[in-house]
Amino acid sequence: MEESLRVLIIEDSSDDAELVVLQLSRRGLKVQSERVDSPQALTAALARSSWDVIIADYNLPGFDGLAALRIVKQYDLDVPFVIVSGAIGDETAVQAMKAGAHDYVSKSNLTRLGAAVSRELAEAKVRRERRQAVSELHRLAQRSALLSEASGRLAASLDFEETLATAAHVPLHEAADWCLITFAELGPRLLTAIGHVDSALEDRAQERLDNLDLDPLAERGAARVIRTRQYEWLTPDAALVGSAADAPAAAALVRELGFDSGLCLPLVARGRSLGAMTLVRASPRQRLSLENLDFATELAARAGMALDNSALYRQAREAIQTRDEFLSIASHELNTPLATLTLQLDELLRFLRSNPSGAGVAERVLGGMVRSRRQVQRLTRQVESLLDVTRISEDRFQLHRGRVDLAAVVREVIDQSGLELSRSGCEVRVQADDRVLGRWDPGRIAQVVASLLSNACKYGAGRPVDIRVEAQGNVARLTVSDQGIGIAPADLDRIFQRFERAVSSQHYGGLGLGLYIARHILQAHGGTIRVASAPGRGATFKVELPLESALAEEGELPRGSQQPG
């Protein structure tokens, strides 16, 4: 549909105004016009509407075209201004053109008006497009400079907490009144940092935010953006989505921070979704719209890259620290049996040198050899644990399956652990079904049982240890319970990681590998391990393994190896 040409005619004669409209119509222009004849009416028309062209008679009673031109120029409008008159000479017309009029048409030659207006409209369009192009270049240059500055600020530090805070402040003023960074890569809880143009309000908001439990499974806002990696235009209730208990506090915080419009974008690096950047404008004067999307996306991309780099740096530092701690612990753990073995051998040598006649030598040597052998076995187990870590890391962990009675393995491990049990003062109470059969690696299953029993004696010294072995359906269950120091909830998952422990290595020995290796052994068998515990209430480890009958149903047993009826 062709748009109307909005024409403002400054003319005291309605007949002359109709002639103007007629000439424009003959040019094929669809005209929508308004006639004014005084400075007040002109000012009101300019304030009320926008116009495509202004056509003014030069001479009006108490008013002229130059005065009208001065009023129009006060509004800083780039609108073609054409003077129409039959009573001025060329000199006056030139003066009007110098004052800012775009053309002059004599009423005696009004047929030229349509062509003059069309030409001026075309030139006005060119000027408008040129201004838009220049404005766009300035905007792009400004945003390029802002992005460059943002990249510099984000790259200034590899400290994760500092980078997180910087990412929340980079968008302020230019892209947001407040910004929330939600990071999901370093643990089950969402990490957050907030930036606000009002620093005092920012401090209060961060303190309240630290006490909020955000919902990582929310169907809107940052949680959804992190999962889908798609940006989302926000409503106030999606700007900060708390858990059911904290939802009212989250909504109150958004109201205090202010909300008019919001945009949440994913933070992505190396193809992974790391978190989300929430941008909010509190005032409608700078409302977020599609015009802001490209710039915001670039900011989020740079923030994601910087956060990924700082997170990798932190992980590398933690890995180095873990390595150094492990080397210190391993050196101590490996040195202890070697030192003991050395002392025992030195003692035997002194005894032999002081007893050349050989009286009592055989008995004394035998006792020393037994003790030395025990230290060698301890050292061998520790070295084997280190080798197992290497095998797991290199995916060379192999099983040698055979028919195994889990109850028999448990009893055998208890018998072999007699000295350790005696030293710890732990009474082991066993409840076991007669036969709990499966096709497992007997040595590896014994390794799991020994690790669980050793931990129970270590952390529950002087107290009973209860072991239960049973078959339930197609599953073999092994439960080892102690009454020791227990495990904090935050450590229940961590203790199954490599080199991890829930206690200080200064008070309890070990390499921090037993549960890590046990979990991999059980997973290789198609089994599981889990723990239930609380500080001061002991710990209960539950192991599940597929029984022989279950393996036979899945076709894992060779013919002739079925459990006898």
Side-chain angles (χ1 to χ4, degrees):
M1 182 177 178
E2 184 183 358
E3 294 185 2
S4 297
L5 183 68
R6 293 161 298 179
V7 180
L8 180 59
I9 303 174
I10 306 172
E11 175 64 70
D12 61 335
S13 168
S14 58
D15 291 339
D16 287 350
E18 289 179 6
L19 284 175
V20 167
V21 172
L22 178 62
Q23 289 299 325
L24 295 178
S25 300
R26 287 177 175 173
R27 184 70 181 183
L29 300 173
K30 185 178 179 181
V31 177
Q32 179 183 346
S33 66
E34 179 178 342
R35 183 179 66 86
V36 296
D37 58 5
S38 68
Q40 296 79 10
L42 173 59
T43 300
L46 292 173
R48 182 176 62 252
S49 303
S50 59
W51 303 97
D52 298 316
V53 62
I54 299 173
I55 299 175
D57 190 357
Y58 187 81
N59 291 312
L60 286 84
F63 190 36
D64 63 27
L66 291 179
L69 183 57
R70 286 193 292 270
I71 293 174
V72 170
K73 292 180 72 173
Q74 291 175 6
Y75 285 81
D76 195 25
L77 301 175
D78 185 7
V79 176
F81 190 98
V82 179
I83 291 180
V84 175
S85 180
I88 64 173
D90 292 341
E91 184 177 343
T92 304
V94 170
Q95 182 183 358
M97 299 287 285
K98 287 182 177 181
H102 293 90
D103 204 347
Y104 162 75
V105 176
S106 172
K107 287 186 178 180
S108 62
N109 191 20
L110 204 57
T111 55
R112 196 177 71 83
L113 179 63
V117 167
S118 296
R119 184 188 64 253
E120 293 302 329
L121 288 172
E123 291 183 0
K125 181 181 179 182
V126 171
R127 291 194 300 272
R128 185 167 58 252
E129 290 174 348
R130 185 183 298 114
R131 285 196 305 274
Q132 290 173 349
V134 170
S135 176
E136 181 66 12
L137 285 175
H138 284 309
R139 186 183 69 85
L140 291 175
Q142 182 183 25
R143 290 197 168 183
S144 179
L146 290 171
L147 289 171
S148 178
E149 179 188 355
S151 295
R153 292 171 61 187
L154 288 166
S157 172
L158 281 173
D159 179 78
F160 178 78
E161 282 74 17
E162 186 175 340
T163 304
L164 190 67
T166 300
H169 286 85
V170 161
L172 297 183
H173 300 289
E174 297 300 331
D177 293 322
W178 59 273
C179 172
L180 175 70
I181 300 294
T182 308
F183 196 79
E185 269 286 294
L186 297 181
R189 192 174 188 272
L190 297 175
L191 299 178
T192 56
I194 195 166
H196 198 286
V197 292
D198 183 338
S199 58
L201 183 55
E202 175 187 311
D203 292 340
R204 295 197 303 272
Q206 186 66 62
E207 182 178 351
R208 290 168 62 183
L209 192 61
D210 291 340
N211 295 320
L212 281 179
D213 182 20
L214 300 183
D215 184 2
L217 302 177
E219 292 300 322
R220 62 192 191 282
R224 177 180 176 276
V225 168
I226 292 171
R227 289 196 305 272
T228 63
R229 290 198 279 182
Q230 299 292 324
Y231 71 85
E232 178 180 333
W233 295 101
L234 300 176
T235 54
D237 61 340
L240 191 60
V241 183
S243 62
D246 285 346
L253 180 55
V254 171
R255 287 194 297 270
E256 183 176 350
L257 293 170
F259 186 98
D260 174 74
S261 55
L263 173 62
C264 188
L265 305 110
L267 299 174
V268 178
R270 294 182 293 125
R272 297 177 300 111
S273 182
L274 309 179
M277 172 185 281
T278 299
L279 305 175
V280 175
R281 285 293 191 189
S283 168
R285 290 174 302 183
Q286 292 179 300
R287 180 166 293 165
L288 292 171
S289 66
L290 283 173
E291 293 181 1
N292 309 108
L293 184 58
D294 288 344
F295 181 61
T297 301
E298 285 291 336
L299 274 180
R302 283 162 168 75
M305 206 178 313
L307 286 168
D308 185 48
N309 289 338
S310 61
L312 288 173
Y313 179 70
R314 183 162 96 166
Q315 291 167 357
R317 291 187 61 184
E318 290 174 349
I320 292 171
Q321 182 179 356
T322 300
R323 181 203 64 186
D324 292 344
E325 290 176 355
F326 167 73
L327 290 175
S328 175
I329 295 169
S331 298
H332 173 75
E333 291 294 320
L334 294 174
N335 187 61
T336 298
L338 285 174
T340 304
L341 180 59
T342 301
L343 289 172
Q344 290 170 351
L345 292 175
D346 289 344
E347 183 182 352
L348 282 175
L349 286 172
R350 284 194 300 271
F351 175 76
L352 290 173
R353 287 168 180 164
S354 63
N355 290 274
S357 63
V361 169
E363 181 180 352
R364 188 68 175 267
V365 169
L366 179 60
M369 294 299 291
V370 170
R371 290 190 296 274
S372 298
R373 175 62 176 166
R374 189 180 301 128
Q375 297 304 320
V376 170
Q377 288 175 330
R378 179 181 174 187
L379 184 60
T380 301
R381 286 195 301 270
Q382 291 170 341
V383 172
E384 278 297 318
S385 293
L386 293 175
L387 290 174
D388 278 343
V389 172
T390 301
R391 295 182 187 112
I392 292 169
S393 299
E394 297 178 356
D395 198 22
R396 294 190 293 109
F397 197 82
Q398 296 181 347
L399 300 179
H400 302 283
R401 294 178 183 265
R403 175 176 281 192
V404 179
D405 181 358
L406 182 57
V409 170
V410 169
R411 294 189 184 96
E412 183 180 350
V413 170
I414 293 173
D415 290 342
Q416 294 173 351
S417 305
L419 182 61
E420 183 180 359
L421 293 173
S422 176
R423 289 178 175 175
S424 66
C426 291
E427 174 192 1
V428 179
R429 302 180 296 205
V430 180
Q431 291 182 327
D433 293 351
D434 290 338
R435 301 183 75 190
V436 182
L437 298 175
R439 277 190 59 80
W440 309 311
D441 184 324
R444 292 300 187 182
I445 296 301
Q447 187 177 350
V448 172
V449 176
S451 178
L452 295 178
L453 181 58
S454 176
N455 284 346
C457 294
K458 184 192 301 182
Y459 301 117
R463 298 182 178 88
V465 176
D466 293 297
I467 298 179
R468 171 71 176 159
V469 183
E470 58 188 332
Q472 292 186 354
N474 290 330
V475 175
R477 287 192 172 90
L478 166 66
T479 305
V480 180
S481 300
D482 64 61
Q483 299 177 23
I485 61 175
I487 306 168
D491 297 324
L492 292 177
D493 292 327
R494 189 171 60 84
I495 58 174
F496 291 101
Q497 302 299 317
R498 183 173 55 176
F499 308 135
E500 292 288 356
R501 55 181 66 239
V503 294
S504 170
S505 60
Q506 297 178 350
H507 300 95
Y508 295 92
L511 299 175
L513 294 174
L515 292 175
Y516 170 75
I517 295 172
R519 186 185 66 173
H520 278 275
I521 290 173
L522 294 168
Q523 288 176 342
H525 282 88
T528 61
I529 183 171
R530 62 185 187 276
V531 60
S533 182
R537 297 186 180 181
T540 297
F541 286 85
K542 296 183 179 180
V543 170
E544 291 188 353
L545 285 163
L547 284 172
E548 185 175 72
S549 58
L551 291 171
E553 292 172 4
E554 296 171 5
E556 293 190 26
L557 290 179
R559 291 183 180 179
S561 62
Q562 307 294 334
Q563 180 178 345

